[in-house]
Amino acid sequence: MSRFFTAGDSSSESSSEDEEELYSDEEAIQKSEEPKSSEEEEDEDEDGDESSSDEEGGKSGVSKFLRDAASSEGESSDDETPKVVKSAKHKRLEELEGVVKLIDNYVKINDWGSISTEFDKLNRQVTKISASDKAPKIYIKTVADLEDFMNETVAKQKVSTKKMSPTNAKGLNAMKQKIKRNNKDYVTEIDKYREDKFDYMMSDEEEEVAPTEKTKKSKSVYVDGIDIGDDEGFSTVGRGGKTLLYTPESIFKNLRVIVESRGKKNTDRTEHIRVMEKLLEVATTPYQTIRVLLTLISTRFDLTTGSSATFMSQEQWKMAEQEFGKLLGVLEDNRNMVILEDAEAWEDDEKPPQPAADETLKIPGSIPSIVERLDDELTRSLQHIDPHTAEYIERLSDEQALYNNIVRALLYIEELKKDEKLGTPQESANRIIMRRVEHLYFKPSQVVTILEDTAWKTIPERFDSKITPRGQTQDTAGLVQTLCTYLFANSTDIIRGRAYLCQVYFCALHDQYYRARDMLLMSHLQETIGNFDISTQILFNRTLVQVGLCAFRAGLVYESQNTLQEICGSGRQKELLAQGVMIQRYSQVTPEQERLERQRQLPFHMHINLELLECVYLTCSMLLEIPLLAQTGSSPDIKKRIISKTYRRLLEFHERQIFTGPPENTRDHVMQASRALAAGEWKKSAEFINSIKIWELMAQSDKIKAMLSEQIQEEGLRTYLFTYAPFYDTLAVSTLASMFELSERKVAAVISKMISHEELAAALDQVNSAIIFRKGVELSRLQSLALTLSDKASGLIEANERTLEQRTQGTANAFERQGGRGDRGGRGGRGRGGGTRGDRGGARQRGGQQFGGGALGGAIRA
């Protein structure tokens, strides 16, 4: 392409640089006969009437005079205002850019109908430009960004409750087809653009030939073409024509510009990241590298701030993690430079700081904050990825790299604490250790060992930790105890409480029930947990559940049921354990509260199996409730009590069913096992319980099933004795042993325990190995009915008083029937009577006919 163009209004003007006077008519005719360049011909074709009038042969004097005047005016105006020559291709590119700007504007307002219309115009413009050449790179950028924006919009619509308008949705559907069909032809270019957007567009700017202004003395314009092959004398040009100088001397100036623009609107953070990556390449000193890395990592974290993205992309997170590792490496190699939160920033961008030989250079920054942000972003990404896909497993593998950096950061903070002059706060070490503990406490010992071994392999041999030495990786229990003990001794408030709960959780997970129980009771956290933040309360609930499961594995049915009662009895296990959001129909939850609730959810690999938890709770409730129902039914004088309302409700619902089919889920298995146990069929009950497949998820499932069978045998024996004791005078121990397949010694032990707890009115004859039941201690039929009537009357009175108090809104004091308030002006007798009745009602449980078990027959219904 020629680098010189004629810029006059007619072809009669000269292209010489030295001549400034007008030619005569003959010389002008000779000049017009000279061959013209292809670009001059394009300009003449586009100029229209002016060029055609110049090519006419004969002109009158007036015409010549007018033309000369116009040309002289044009030349004088050329001297004042420079003109730019634009080719047809350049004009089409400008039109293309105009369409691209319109599309960008419509993208900002999410107007897919207009985007579809402008996309058609864009393709028509590209057809004209790329007929003889490849598609412009601005077009490649536009279609690639449009595809990304479309995918993002579709993903949002899947989870959003607010739907698009019909017109907008129609435009979006049309764009799906258009982009899918159109981008097939530009796959290679789009991939190049996505690999490195900045370099891709920079090469486009270098290849473009930009028209330049005319000089005063010449009517021709010199176009400064850029020779890509020769970089000498040229520099990178950014958007807006500004020259970008990436030199070691300009690093601090560029960093200041980037830091000052953080948080402002219309800030292109991706562009800032590209600039800092270039600055990192030209950094020559450790100080420059540290400053660039600190700003670069912070800017990567800013990508999710104020944007539609809810978490960092895996690519950006890995880059930030690698840069953090590089930062730690630079700090480990340069001990005279430290990063502290309270350090003062260096203000002079021209001259870097020059510390003395024995002086330590303090750089403002926070290592613990970077660790916490990396951990939070990884957790947030795991929250939003489907846990049943390979993507979740791939993302979870990044935890090892994060844990390596956590250990390295802890070693660095330990080195800083050795120098008391630096004044490193204790909180920095506490925050990093707490993050390390939170990655260990819920994992089995085998996984913790692998995690620790891999982490120490990536750390040079010259570094070691005083808190957790390198050789302690095999003793996982000692490792967790050491970390938690350090936090308990050196921290306060929330971190101390969380560390204690993590240690209890780890002990319960590894079947150390009594130690976990004693630690939890001695901490008294159950009394003050309401004052902690929500995440710590969630950790407390998880620890409580794990202690209950540990008690069940140890065969302690009563302790397990008592521990799990608070969580499982509420019916809100998902919400209390942060394993799901329960949106109720009439709940007064604002969108902001719902968003915060979703942010607290735990990643899937930290979940406790809720089906297993329910199975354990219902099984323990069955083993406690069925004997209690038998005891209450055969002895009505015993105060009726309920161990598990949830279990009673499920059992009552199951018994009301007319037809009961084979069990389909965990709950059905437990309910049918309960009915069999209540009827004395302990073998059938054990078969139902052992056929539950969820037990396979527990370690040593065979041992668990054997323990359950033994528990069912014992509780079946207790149920049988409670139910049929009134019908026996004596009963041989050997008979019971053969019925329940237990040893006579075991049967004698169970009976002795029942007699000592006054649960059974009998005596054990050890000589004859028999049980002698005592008669006359049971209430008669009339006495049982009288007590039942008394309970119902008491409950009816209390219900009437509550209703009266609600209707009178606080003025019901005049009608209270409690003792001590009956002296109401001459009505004292009624007051005393009310007090007596209140005492009697308070001595027994509130009324209503309680559930009697059904399967225990007429004795229970009495």
Side-chain angles (χ1 to χ4, degrees):
M1 183 186 297
S2 175
R3 297 174 62 182
F4 298 93
F5 301 94
T6 303
D9 292 335
S10 67
S11 60
S12 61
E13 294 175 321
S14 171
S15 61
S16 174
E17 294 183 359
D18 299 329
E19 294 181 1
E20 298 181 1
E21 56 185 354
L22 297 173
Y23 287 97
S24 62
D25 293 340
E26 295 178 357
E27 291 174 337
I29 294 172
Q30 293 176 1
K31 291 287 182 181
S32 64
E33 294 174 356
E34 294 177 2
K36 303 173 184 178
S37 67
S38 61
E39 295 189 8
E40 288 177 301
E41 292 174 359
E42 290 180 3
D43 292 339
E44 290 174 359
D45 293 338
E46 293 171 1
D47 287 341
D49 296 338
E50 291 181 0
S51 60
S52 61
S53 62
D54 292 339
E55 291 175 356
E56 295 177 357
K59 294 285 184 180
S60 61
V62 178
S63 299
K64 288 184 178 180
F65 177 78
L66 292 175
R67 185 202 56 160
D68 292 339
S71 63
S72 61
E73 290 175 1
E75 290 173 7
S76 62
S77 64
D78 288 344
D79 295 340
E80 297 174 358
T81 59
K83 294 184 179 179
V84 178
V85 175
K86 296 179 181 179
S87 65
K89 180 179 179 181
H90 191 74
K91 289 181 179 179
R92 293 191 185 102
L93 284 174
E94 286 186 349
E95 294 175 0
L96 186 70
E97 291 175 356
V99 177
V100 170
K101 288 180 181 178
L102 286 176
I103 291 177
D104 290 340
N105 292 335
Y106 292 135
V107 164
K108 292 177 182 177
I109 62 176
N110 202 24
D111 186 358
W112 284 99
S114 302
I115 291 174
S116 179
T117 304
E118 296 299 328
F119 187 71
D120 294 337
K121 290 183 182 179
L122 185 72
N123 287 331
R124 288 196 293 270
Q125 292 288 341
V126 170
T127 304
K128 297 178 183 179
I129 296 175
S130 61
S132 59
D133 198 0
K134 64 180 182 179
K137 295 188 176 180
I138 189 173
Y139 173 76
I140 300 298
K141 174 183 179 299
T142 304
V143 296
D145 292 345
L146 263 180
E147 185 177 6
D148 295 339
F149 180 66
M150 181 196 69
N151 294 333
E152 181 181 348
T153 305
V154 171
K156 285 183 181 177
Q157 286 300 310
K158 290 181 179 179
V159 298
S160 175
T161 56
K162 185 178 180 182
K163 301 299 181 182
M164 281 186 173
S165 62
T167 307
N168 214 16
K170 183 179 179 181
L172 177 60
N173 292 332
M175 283 300 296
K176 285 183 187 177
Q177 304 298 327
K178 291 178 182 179
I179 291 179
K180 184 177 180 181
R181 186 170 54 252
N182 181 77
N183 288 12
K184 288 181 180 178
D185 301 332
Y186 307 102
V187 174
T188 305
E189 292 295 320
I190 290 175
D191 291 341
K192 289 181 182 178
Y193 168 73
R194 285 175 174 163
E195 285 176 4
D196 196 335
K197 300 180 180 180
F198 181 72
D199 289 344
Y200 185 85
M201 298 307 296
M202 287 301 301
S203 63
D204 180 45
E205 293 181 5
E206 291 178 358
E207 291 173 359
E208 285 186 8
V209 180
T212 57
E213 298 181 352
K214 284 184 178 181
T215 57
K216 288 187 177 181
K217 291 187 179 181
S218 173
K219 289 166 266 183
S220 301
V221 177
Y222 174 75
V223 181
D224 188 8
I226 299 178
D227 186 4
I228 300 177
D230 185 10
D231 291 338
E232 184 178 358
F234 295 98
S235 59
T236 306
V237 179
R239 295 181 180 179
K242 295 182 180 179
T243 303
L244 302 178
L245 298 177
Y246 299 136
T247 60
E249 292 77 14
S250 65
I251 287 178
F252 300 121
K253 291 183 179 179
N254 290 323
L255 288 180
R256 182 171 294 278
V257 171
I258 292 172
V259 171
E260 290 176 351
S261 64
R262 287 182 66 185
K264 295 182 179 179
K265 292 183 178 180
N266 302 325
T267 301
D268 190 354
R269 298 186 181 93
T270 308
E271 184 71 22
H272 289 169
I273 290 175
R274 295 193 191 102
V275 171
M276 283 186 285
E277 287 174 348
K278 298 288 184 182
L279 295 176
L280 187 61
E281 294 176 0
V282 300
T284 55
T285 63
Y287 178 72
Q288 292 176 345
T289 304
I290 293 172
R291 286 283 304 275
V292 173
L293 285 173
L294 285 172
T295 311
L296 179 56
I297 295 172
S298 302
T299 308
R300 290 193 190 278
F301 291 146
D302 288 343
L303 287 174
T304 56
T305 305
S307 64
S308 58
T310 55
F311 59 93
M312 282 182 71
S313 64
Q314 185 175 6
E315 178 186 2
Q316 291 293 337
W317 188 91
K318 285 186 174 181
M319 294 297 295
E321 182 269 327
Q322 293 172 4
E323 288 156 1
F324 181 58
K326 185 176 181 180
L327 174 64
L328 292 176
V330 175
L331 291 172
E332 290 167 355
D333 295 336
N334 299 272
R335 293 295 184 181
N336 60 334
M337 298 182 185
V338 297
I339 295 179
L340 296 175
E341 295 183 12
D342 56 351
E344 296 183 1
W346 184 261
E347 300 294 339
D348 191 357
D349 295 337
E350 300 292 339
K351 183 180 178 183
Q354 300 292 337
D358 56 346
E359 185 180 358
T360 302
L361 177 61
K362 299 179 180 179
I363 305 172
S366 177
I367 296 296
S369 297
I370 298 176
V371 170
E372 291 175 342
R373 188 62 187 272
L374 282 171
D375 193 9
D376 292 340
E377 290 294 342
L378 178 62
T379 302
R380 197 174 293 124
S381 65
L382 290 172
Q383 289 173 347
H384 290 82
I385 297 175
D386 185 0
H388 305 292
T389 59
E391 182 184 1
Y392 188 90
I393 304 299
E394 180 184 357
R395 193 74 180 94
L396 188 60
S397 62
D398 294 333
E399 185 183 15
Q400 180 66 65
L402 174 62
Y403 188 79
N404 299 344
N405 284 332
I406 290 176
V407 177
R408 288 185 67 184
L410 178 59
L411 296 181
Y412 176 72
I413 295 297
E414 287 186 42
E415 289 293 328
L416 295 185
K417 288 182 66 62
K418 292 179 181 178
D419 190 353
E420 297 181 357
K421 297 180 181 179
L422 298 177
T424 306
Q426 178 65 40
E427 184 186 2
S428 299
N430 294 343
R431 288 161 63 186
I432 296 179
I433 293 176
M434 190 68 244
R435 293 287 174 164
R436 185 177 178 184
V437 170
E438 288 177 350
H439 279 274
L440 298 177
Y441 80 95
F442 63 93
K443 292 183 171 67
S445 296
Q446 299 86 346
V447 180
V448 174
T449 302
I450 295 173
L451 204 64
E452 282 285 320
D453 289 341
T454 308
W456 284 107
K457 287 178 183 177
T458 60
I459 300 174
E461 292 289 340
R462 66 178 187 273
F463 298 111
D464 201 355
S465 171
K466 281 189 175 181
I467 302 174
T468 56
R470 185 183 290 266
Q472 198 178 354
T473 57
Q474 299 301 323
D475 184 12
T476 56
L479 172 66
V480 174
Q481 182 178 356
T482 301
L483 293 173
C484 293
T485 304
Y486 180 87
L487 289 176
F488 193 74
N490 295 282
S491 62
T492 57
D493 301 333
I494 294 179
I495 292 183
R496 171 186 284 189
R498 291 184 67 86
Y500 207 88
L501 288 172
C502 288
Q503 187 174 1
V504 174
Y505 189 104
F506 188 82
C507 292
L509 184 65
H510 293 82
D511 297 328
Q512 301 177 23
Y513 168 72
Y514 291 105
R515 183 183 181 190
R517 182 200 63 182
D518 294 343
M519 289 180 63
L520 192 60
L521 292 176
M522 288 189 298
S523 67
H524 298 285
L525 280 172
Q526 59 272 19
E527 301 171 3
T528 59
I529 192 62
N531 301 327
F532 285 80
D533 61 316
I534 296 179
S535 61
T536 306
Q537 294 180 25
I538 292 171
L539 179 59
F540 177 81
N541 294 337
R542 285 168 52 81
T543 304
L544 204 61
V545 167
Q546 197 60 244
V547 171
L549 293 176
C550 180
F552 177 78
R553 291 193 296 268
L556 304 172
V557 175
Y558 177 78
E559 290 81 355
S560 176
Q561 199 279 340
N562 194 26
T563 307
L564 298 176
Q565 175 67 38
E566 187 176 356
I567 303 297
C568 299
S570 64
R572 299 166 52 221
Q573 296 94 316
K574 279 188 177 181
E575 187 178 353
L576 294 175
L577 298 177
Q579 296 181 190
V581 180
M582 300 179 62
I583 304 299
Q584 300 178 358
R585 181 178 299 179
Y586 302 107
S587 62
Q588 302 293 329
V589 179
T590 63
E592 180 66 19
Q593 290 175 336
E594 183 180 350
R595 184 182 64 83
L596 293 175
E597 187 68 23
R598 293 188 182 279
Q599 288 180 355
R600 299 189 194 104
Q601 300 305 300
L602 295 174
F604 183 77
H605 68 282
M606 297 177 65
H607 284 191
I608 297 173
N609 193 309
L610 295 179
E611 187 179 357
L612 176 63
L613 180 61
E614 182 187 31
C615 182
V616 169
Y617 174 70
L618 292 179
T619 303
C620 293
S621 299
M622 177 194 74
L623 294 174
L624 297 177
E625 283 281 8
I626 295 300
L628 180 63
L629 288 172
Q631 182 184 12
T632 308
S634 60
S635 303
D637 58 323
I638 297 177
K639 184 179 178 181
K640 296 178 181 179
R641 63 189 181 95
I642 298 176
I643 296 177
S644 172
K645 292 182 179 180
T646 304
Y647 174 80
R648 289 281 185 101
R649 186 170 59 251
L650 291 173
L651 186 58
E652 186 177 358
F653 174 77
H654 189 268
E655 289 193 345
R656 284 203 305 263
Q657 292 181 347
I658 299 175
F659 173 75
T660 303
E664 296 179 356
N665 51 31
T666 302
R667 189 173 297 176
D668 290 346
H669 278 85
V670 177
M671 292 301 108
Q672 294 203 16
S674 301
R675 295 186 65 179
L677 184 60
E681 301 177 357
W682 67 270
K683 287 186 178 180
K684 189 175 180 181
S685 176
E687 182 181 349
F688 277 124
I689 292 296
N690 290 334
S691 62
I692 300 176
K693 296 182 179 179
I694 199 70
W695 301 126
E696 302 298 332
L697 298 180
M698 300 185 75
Q700 299 178 347
S701 59
D702 295 335
K703 184 180 178 182
I704 298 293
K705 292 179 181 179
M707 179 269 295
L708 288 173
S709 298
E710 292 178 4
Q711 293 284 348
I712 291 173
Q713 284 175 301
E714 292 183 18
E715 299 304 328
L717 172 61
R718 285 165 48 84
T719 305
Y720 182 83
L721 290 174
F722 283 137
T723 305
Y724 299 106
F727 304 100
Y728 285 100
D729 290 329
T730 60
L731 183 60
V733 173
S734 59
T735 304
L736 292 175
S738 62
M739 287 176 61
F740 293 95
E741 297 181 3
L742 292 171
S743 63
E744 293 186 8
R745 184 175 181 180
K746 184 69 175 178
V747 172
V750 172
I751 294 172
S752 300
K753 186 175 181 182
M754 294 173 65
I755 294 173
S756 65
H757 290 172
E758 297 182 356
E759 295 175 345
L760 187 64
L764 183 61
D765 186 357
Q766 294 182 347
V767 176
N768 299 319
S769 185
I771 308 170
I772 303 173
F773 295 94
R774 291 182 296 176
K775 297 298 180 182
V777 295
E778 296 85 2
L779 296 177
S780 65
R781 178 72 174 172
L782 179 60
Q783 291 172 330
S784 300
L785 290 176
L787 288 176
T788 303
L789 179 61
S790 174
D791 287 341
K792 289 185 177 181
S794 177
L796 182 61
I797 291 171
E798 292 178 3
N800 288 340
E801 289 179 351
R802 285 196 299 269
T803 304
L804 181 62
E805 185 177 357
Q806 291 175 359
R807 290 189 176 182
T808 54
Q809 295 294 330
T811 61
N813 294 331
F815 305 100
E816 287 188 354
R817 299 178 181 271
Q818 299 178 2
R821 298 188 183 182
D823 49 347
R824 298 183 296 172
R827 306 285 298 277
R830 182 176 178 181
R832 287 190 297 274
T836 304
R837 184 167 50 206
D839 293 340
R840 186 181 65 186
R844 298 193 60 79
Q845 190 177 359
R846 288 183 178 176
Q849 184 175 0
Q850 302 294 329
F851 171 67
L856 300 178
I860 297 178
R861 286 195 297 271

